[in-house]
Each structure stands twice: as structure tokens, then as C-alpha cells.
Amino acid sequence: MQNSVTLRDVARAGKVSVSTASRALAGGLTSKSTETRLQRIAAELGYRPNTLARGLKTRSTRLVGLVVHNLANASFRVLAEVVQQRLRAEGYQVILCITADNPDQEAETIATLADQRVDGLIICPTGHNGEQLAALDRGGTPVTCVVRRHEAVEMETVLAADPEGAFAGTRYLLELGHRRIGLIVGRQETTSGRERLSGYRRALEEAGIRFNPTLVHAGRYEPETGLAGCRQLLDREDRPTALFVANHESSLGVLRGLAERELLVPDDISLLCYEDMPGFEWQRPALSVVDSGAHAMAELAADRLLLRLRSHAAPPAATAHEYRIGARLIRRQSCRPVVS
Amino acid sequence: MQNSVTLRDVARAGKVSVSTASRALAGGLTSKSTETRLQRIAAELGYRPNTLARGLKTRSTRLVGLVVHNLANASFRVLAEVVQQRLRAEGYQVILCITADNPDQEAETIATLADQRVDGLIICPTGHNGEQLAALDRGGTPVTCVVRRHEAVEMETVLAADPEGAFAGTRYLLELGHRRIGLIVGRQETTSGRERLSGYRRALEEAGIRFNPTLVHAGRYEPETGLAGCRQLLDREDRPTALFVANHESSLGVLRGLAERELLVPDDISLLCYEDMPGFEWQRPALSVVDSGAHAMAELAADRLLLRLRSHAAPPAATAHEYRIGARLIRRQSCRPVVS
DNA sequence: CTGTTAGCGCGTTCAG
DNA sequence: CTGAACGCGCTAACAG
């Protein structure tokens, strides 16, 4: 059965008490000689401490929960990879959970994670279980929100600078001379959906262009939304000269929609996407994007959590901070000046 | 601090002993009256069992490790989503780990997972830590391998039917009249790399066509491989009339390579990919593929593991079985008959 | 059907 | 510096 080499076995083999063995392996609590001796014995026996027993005693499992909506979204993927790697380096394991953006599933997930006594939690919240998360945080299990903010509850959060990102993207298109810019964006019930729309509006207004709601298509985070948006925007009399796809998942659908109408990017229409991903760079033409900085968000979220994990004593942050990761415009080949 | 409502608190509130409370909450071990009464009390108090303590006692954590190389590969993504969902339904949590196909990292990951006393493990092995995995399996922690087989060690494994898949794909192209079929495939050190190449060869030979090694480009699982393969194969005098991309990650690179040379699919050249993913269907033209059945593999792997998890007593399978998931050819728009 | 007792494996008092 | 004893929260023997 299993690796049943227990501390007791090590102690016995070293002819010391269990507590001495414990101290020797911890290091610096015994004479140097017994320390090295017992560590050698432990290694020879292939001793591995039982995480459960240790956790029961120390109230720390070195487990961290990571909760995302899915793995199709490039940002979530980056989040999963980076967070997992970063935390592993500090001796934490990551429990990955997927909620499908479903509040009930999220509630259950959070509860289960709490049951497992995770030391901390990084989550992209649906926005419906704020109190549950806040309680966890108050109870001493640090919670860091990413990508989406929790409206109701105050909690440490790292977000993309979506208002600025959308502003910069729109502005870029304006500078290229575009005046009718179609926007395909996420549901307005979400932070990112709202903020990206508002950035777009602001850029328009600053340029003295009246905001035209019929140029905007908001929808669910799916390729189908992009396709539908394309159809709606492209079948107009005054077809937009540029499309800003600020709903990441929609990008695929938009590509297909454009192809359906045999519109060439960027000759017939300019295309700007949101949230970079490897595929975009490999596309032909390579897609220009507003990179929302998923990598940096992931790193910061991990770092913030680690910080609070280490200073266990520290208060749950007098005021929960909100961090924003700057967006970055990446010019590739899918946008060009409008021909006048 | 935390949810410190312990079983003891419930027992006290219900004026019974701790063990009675335990039994009541388990159900069916006490009088119906105390059972419902205590369950109500527990609910009111917001009691949640401590998984650690339970695990220490029962030697079961309801934690399952899932180890993959990355999340960029579509099959791994499907694996992660499906396995996690399937196991969750049975009350297991999934610890997701990423090895980057690095043996050292894998070894460390496996050890850590064992420390956490996971109940089982689903892993796409690098192939270098077989003994470690086998030991775990022997020790009573069921291990199921996916996607890649472990050459040295015998272990329960669920694989794609790659020889047949590659055969079917090649055969399809042959039936369309193609005679010079370029193959871009994975490293020959991997099971899938070898098996896909062999399927390709067999189809060729059955059709009475001599295998031409210069039409094959094998490389790492990255888009760059596809690009390099494209260049190598497309710059020949007798350019292939069809490309079979049996290295999933390379597909993006191939698309770019084709675009670079301004070759139109399927007019100028036919293109067949391997391992389906959402993006392929949304491409224009929609990419025909050999679907290796990631979804089915994930389900089967989860089911097999669950089976062994439940019948804890059952022996570690007298002979470790190997399962194969049939491949499926999906004809879309990227292949056409060769013009003669 | 219920209460009492005894660990699971570890870290941490408290004496020596 | 080391050993003995205790308890984390829970389940599973054994009695009653």
C-alpha cells in the first residue's frame, strides 16, 4: 500500500523520538549532527510527509483554488498556465475549477474548495456569489478576483484596463481615418462588456463623432455572436469601414462572417480584435489587437495572492485594492488607413 | 476565522456524542428521527466536514490529479474540461498540473500529487517516469494514461486510434486522386508521431504508391514546425497536391505558410488536419480533419478511473488494458479531387 | 441504536 | 537539545 513510510518509521530507524525526527527534518531545531543524520535516513527510506496530517495540524494545505469560466478563452488559458506555474514555484498546488459562468456551479465550487481548506483562491467571479467569497476572505482565506470585478463586494481584484484599451483601439482606427466603426462587444451585464463599450464611446466623442448605437452589437461570449454581429453590421447601407471586435470569443465568427461576404481584410475593411492569442499572430493577415495583458494579470494575481498567503497575520487589507493592467495596442496587418 | 463549525459543535448542539453526529450525517446509521434532527442542526450551524481530517481517517481525499503537457493543444483542453466535469459529478475535485512535456517537472509533479494523497491520477506521460507511476498504481492509487502510451511500463491507457486515423485520412486523399501527399507529423520519439506516420505509409503502400521520405516533415509540437514543413514541401519541383498535417500544433503554421505562398485551399492544394478543434470549423474554408476523439478519450479515461476508484478492493487489473478511441474523418471544405 | 475509546500522521507544547 | 504527551477533526472499532 502507498508510501506508508511515516515519520514514526524514520524516528525508529534513527533511534530517536518522533518529535525529534520532526524537528530534524524541519531543520535548525536540533543538533546539526542528528539533523543531517535523520535527513539522510528519511531520504533513504523515501519518507514523504503526509500533507493531510500536516494540514490538519498547521491549518495550511498549500493548495490554491483557481476558478475560471472555461478554457476556450485565451485569457483563461494563460491564467491557468501562468498561475499554476508561478504558484508551483512557491510550493503550492493549483486546483483548477470550471464554472461555465454559472452561478450555481460557482457557489458549489467555492464551497467545495473551502471544504478542501485551500489556502487561497483566485477566481473570475460570475458576480452572484460575492458574499460567499467575502466570507471566505474575512475568514482568513485570501481571495483574489481576476478579469471581472465583483460589483457588490469589496475584494482584492486585478483587472484589465478595458476602458483605456477600448479607447486606444478605437482611437487607433479613428487616426486611420475611419468614421463608421462597427463594435462587437460582450454582454453589458459584465464589467468588461460595459467598460469596452464606454471606451469606444469616449474615443468617438473626443473625436467629435456622434455615437451611433446601431453600429454596436453586444452579445454572449461565443463565436456565433461574431457571426451575427457581422451580418447585422455588414448588411447596412453604410457599411462600416472598420470592425472592432472587443468580444474575444467572437473573433472566429467575425472571420467567418467576413469570408462569407468575401470581404478582404484589410483592403475592404479593417479589423481590430481584443485580447491577443497565438492564433491571431498566425492568421493571414496577422490580426492587429488590443492586448489586454492576460499574462501580466495572471502574474499580478498570483503575486498578490502569494503576498497575502505569506503574511498570514496581516489584516485582510484595510481597503481592498483594485489593480489594473495596462492594455497595449499591437499593430499587425489587419488595419489600414481608409481610402478617401 | 474560517468555518470553524466542527462536528463536535453539531453534536453538542444536538446533545449527542460526536460519533452519533457523524453517523447521523452519514445517514442510515441512526434512528430516522435523530438523523433528520441532526442534519437540520448541521445545516443551521453551517457545518461543513473537514476534508483533511476525513481523509486522514478514511485514506481517501476525493482528489484526482490530471497531468497534461499544456493547455494550448485542443485535446488537452478538452481533456481538462471533460475530466473535471465528469469527476466533479462524482464528488471528486481535479488538481490540474502542467508539465510542459518535461520529465523532471513531471517527476516532481507526480511526487507532489502523491503527497497530497490524490485518490487517482490521469496523466499524459512524458514517458520518462514510468516506474514512478507504476509504483503509485501498485500502491493502490489508480493511474490512467491518456493520449500517449508508456512504452516501458504496463498501465491502463486510453489512446487515440492513430494508426487507423492516419490511414483513413491518407486514404481519403488518395481516393480524391492525390498521389503526392505531403505529411507534417510529430516527433518520432512519441507514440502518436510514429503511429500517424505508419498509418500514412500503410495507406500509400496499399494504394501501390512508393513511400517517399522526402515528403515527410517531422517536428516538435509547435506552429513553427508547420511553417517549416510548408516551406520544405512547397518549394519542391514536384509540389505535393495535398498536405496532411498530423501534428495538431503545426496547423496554424501551415495556414500561414500556405498564405505566404498565396496558395488557395482547396483550389491550389488540399489540406487535411488532425485533431479537431472549434477554430477549424470556423476557418474559411472550413478545414477537413481526422478527429481523434479527444472528447471520447476524456470520457473513457474518466470512466475507467472512476471504476477503479469505486472498486477499491479490486486488484490493479490483472493485465492492464489498453483502449483505443476510433478516429473519425470529417469532410468539410479543404479537400478536393485532384484535377487530372 | 447510541456513547466511549482509539487512532489516522503530524507539529507543538511542556518537562526533563 | 531531546522525549513524552496532547490534539487538529473525523471515522470506526467495541461495548452497552
Side-chain angles (χ1 to χ4, degrees):
Chain A
M1 291 286 204
Q2 199 76 346
N3 181 359
S4 268
V5 188
T6 168
L7 192 56
R8 210 177 135 190
D9 300 326
V10 177
R12 201 176 295 160
K15 311 227 180 274
V16 293
S17 74
V18 188
S19 40
T20 304
S22 172
R23 285 183 285 238
L25 297 186
L29 298 171
T30 65
S31 72
K32 201 64 190 165
S33 65
T34 55
E35 176 171 328
T36 52
R37 189 169 61 90
L38 282 185
Q39 293 191 338
R40 192 177 42 73
I41 294 182
E44 280 170 6
L45 262 47
Y47 167 75
R48 307 235 84 199
N50 183 323
T51 321
L52 297 176
R54 176 179 283 173
L56 195 55
K57 186 86 225 176
T58 63
R59 319 195 140 281
S60 156
T61 54
R62 306 204 70 87
L63 247 31
V64 166
L66 174 61
V67 184
V68 297
H69 297 337
N70 57 61
L71 291 178
N73 181 287
S75 294
F76 288 148
R77 234 142 64 204
V78 170
L79 203 62
E81 295 200 335
V82 172
V83 164
Q84 124 105 33
Q85 185 174 349
R86 185 86 187 73
L87 291 189
R88 170 218 283 277
E90 300 288 327
Y92 290 90
Q93 292 300 112
V94 172
I95 302 191
L96 177 75
C97 302
I98 298 169
T99 60
D101 202 1
N102 172 347
D104 294 337
Q105 225 174 309
E106 183 186 43
E108 193 212 310
T109 298
I110 298 172
T112 314
L113 252 19
D115 289 352
Q116 304 280 1
R117 298 298 190 273
V118 291
D119 285 353
L121 192 56
I122 295 181
I123 182 172
C124 176
T126 63
H128 293 261
N129 298 105
E131 189 37 52
Q132 198 182 359
L133 288 171
L136 209 65
D137 196 273
R138 266 186 264 113
T141 306
V143 175
T144 300
C145 295
V146 265
V147 180
R148 281 206 205 156
R149 191 206 353 251
H150 227 296
E151 310 297 338
V153 191
E154 206 166 284
M155 224 163 331
E156 185 157 81
T157 304
V158 2
L159 299 173
D162 279 331
E164 291 72 22
F167 177 82
T170 310
R171 170 110 182 217
Y172 171 52
L173 292 171
L174 288 168
E175 283 169 359
L176 290 176
H178 296 281
R179 288 297 169 265
R180 281 192 314 286
I181 302 174
L183 176 72
I184 292 173
V185 70
R187 294 161 43 215
Q188 291 302 296
E189 290 81 47
T190 64
T191 317
S192 63
R194 275 197 306 278
E195 292 188 344
R196 291 177 194 177
L197 175 55
S198 80
Y200 164 86
R201 274 188 84 144
R202 189 162 64 82
L204 252 40
E205 282 158 9
E206 284 197 8
I209 298 180
R210 222 170 68 78
F211 168 71
N212 179 352
T214 68
L215 246 25
V216 175
H217 182 94
R220 316 198 63 229
Y221 295 92
E222 296 166 349
E224 285 76 6
T225 301
L227 188 52
C230 249
R231 290 182 177 151
Q232 177 195 317
L233 295 173
L234 264 33
D235 289 346
R236 304 164 52 102
E237 277 295 290
D238 54 343
R239 198 216 296 150
T241 60
L243 237 41
F244 189 8
V245 187
N247 167 340
H248 181 57
E249 284 78 1
S250 289
S251 304
L252 281 181
V254 169
L255 255 19
R256 143 85 50 141
L258 257 20
E260 268 184 12
R261 278 159 184 65
E262 305 195 336
L263 290 175
L264 253 42
V265 174
D267 302 300
D268 300 329
I269 190 167
S270 285
L271 179 61
L272 181 62
C273 292
Y274 212 103
E275 291 185 60
D276 198 19
M277 61 179 284
F280 288 167
E281 191 175 354
W282 287 94
Q283 277 284 339
R284 182 74 173 189
L287 265 29
S288 299
V289 297
V290 174
D291 177 11
S292 50
H295 205 281
M297 277 199 280
E299 297 238 292
L300 185 55
D303 284 345
R304 293 308 308 173
L305 192 72
L306 279 170
L307 217 62
R308 296 185 57 197
L309 246 26
R310 278 192 280 260
S311 61
H312 205 284
T319 64
H321 281 296
E322 178 179 299
Y323 300 88
R324 291 276 185 170
I325 300 296
R328 210 164 52 92
L329 179 67
I330 302 180
R331 295 177 184 78
R332 290 202 272 246
Q333 311 164 348
S334 64
C335 299
R336 76 161 46 164
V338 69
V339 292
S340 48
Chain B
M1 291 287 203
Q2 198 74 347
N3 181 359
S4 268
V5 188
T6 168
L7 191 57
R8 210 177 136 190
D9 300 326
V10 177
R12 201 176 293 160
K15 310 225 179 277
V16 293
S17 75
V18 187
S19 42
T20 303
S22 172
R23 286 184 284 239
L25 297 186
L29 298 171
T30 64
S31 71
K32 201 64 190 165
S33 65
T34 55
E35 176 171 329
T36 52
R37 189 169 61 90
L38 282 185
Q39 292 191 339
R40 192 176 42 72
I41 294 181
E44 281 170 5
L45 262 48
Y47 167 75
R48 307 235 82 198
N50 183 323
T51 322
L52 297 176
R54 177 179 284 172
L56 194 55
K57 183 84 218 175
T58 63
R59 317 192 142 286
S60 157
T61 54
R62 306 205 70 87
L63 247 32
V64 166
L66 174 61
V67 183
V68 297
H69 297 336
N70 58 60
L71 290 178
N73 180 288
S75 294
F76 288 148
R77 238 143 62 204
V78 170
L79 203 61
E81 295 199 336
V82 172
V83 165
Q84 123 107 35
Q85 186 174 348
R86 185 86 186 72
L87 290 190
R88 169 218 283 277
E90 300 287 328
Y92 290 89
Q93 292 300 111
V94 172
I95 302 189
L96 177 75
C97 302
I98 297 170
T99 60
D101 201 1
N102 172 347
D104 294 337
Q105 226 175 308
E106 183 186 43
E108 193 212 309
T109 299
I110 298 171
T112 315
L113 252 19
D115 289 351
Q116 303 281 359
R117 298 298 191 272
V118 292
D119 285 354
L121 191 56
I122 295 181
I123 182 173
C124 176
T126 63
H128 292 261
N129 297 106
E131 190 37 53
Q132 199 182 359
L133 288 171
L136 209 65
D137 196 273
R138 267 185 263 114
T141 305
V143 174
T144 300
C145 294
V146 264
V147 179
R148 281 205 205 157
R149 192 209 351 252
H150 227 295
E151 310 297 338
V153 191
E154 207 167 282
M155 225 163 330
E156 184 156 83
T157 304
V158 2
L159 298 173
D162 279 332
E164 291 73 21
F167 177 82
T170 310
R171 169 110 182 215
Y172 170 53
L173 292 172
L174 288 168
E175 282 169 0
L176 290 178
H178 296 281
R179 287 297 169 265
R180 282 193 312 286
I181 302 174
L183 177 71
I184 292 172
V185 69
R187 294 161 44 216
Q188 291 301 296
E189 290 80 48
T190 63
T191 317
S192 65
R194 275 196 307 278
E195 292 189 345
R196 291 177 193 175
L197 174 56
S198 81
Y200 164 86
R201 275 187 84 144
R202 188 161 64 81
L204 250 40
E205 282 158 9
E206 284 197 9
I209 298 179
R210 221 170 69 79
F211 168 70
N212 179 352
T214 68
L215 282 175
V216 176
H217 182 95
R220 315 198 65 230
Y221 295 92
E222 296 165 349
E224 284 77 6
T225 301
L227 187 52
C230 249
R231 290 181 177 152
Q232 177 196 318
L233 296 173
L234 264 32
D235 289 345
R236 303 164 53 99
E237 277 293 290
D238 54 342
R239 198 216 298 149
T241 60
L243 236 41
F244 189 8
V245 187
N247 167 339
H248 181 57
E249 284 78 0
S250 288
S251 304
L252 282 180
V254 169
L255 255 19
R256 142 86 49 142
L258 258 20
E260 268 183 12
R261 279 159 184 63
E262 304 196 336
L263 290 175
L264 253 42
V265 174
D267 301 300
D268 301 328
I269 190 168
S270 285
L271 180 62
L272 181 61
C273 292
Y274 212 103
E275 291 185 59
D276 199 17
M277 61 178 284
F280 289 167
E281 191 174 354
W282 287 94
Q283 276 285 338
R284 182 75 173 187
L287 265 28
S288 299
V289 297
V290 174
D291 176 12
S292 51
H295 206 281
M297 275 198 281
E299 297 237 292
L300 184 56
D303 285 346
R304 294 307 308 174
L305 192 73
L306 280 170
L307 216 62
R308 296 186 58 198
L309 247 25
R310 277 193 280 261
S311 60
H312 203 285
T319 64
H321 281 296
E322 177 180 301
Y323 299 88
R324 290 277 185 170
I325 299 297
R328 210 164 50 94
L329 179 68
I330 304 180
R331 295 177 184 79
R332 291 203 270 245
Q333 311 164 348
S334 64
C335 299
R336 77 161 43 163
V338 68
V339 291
S340 49

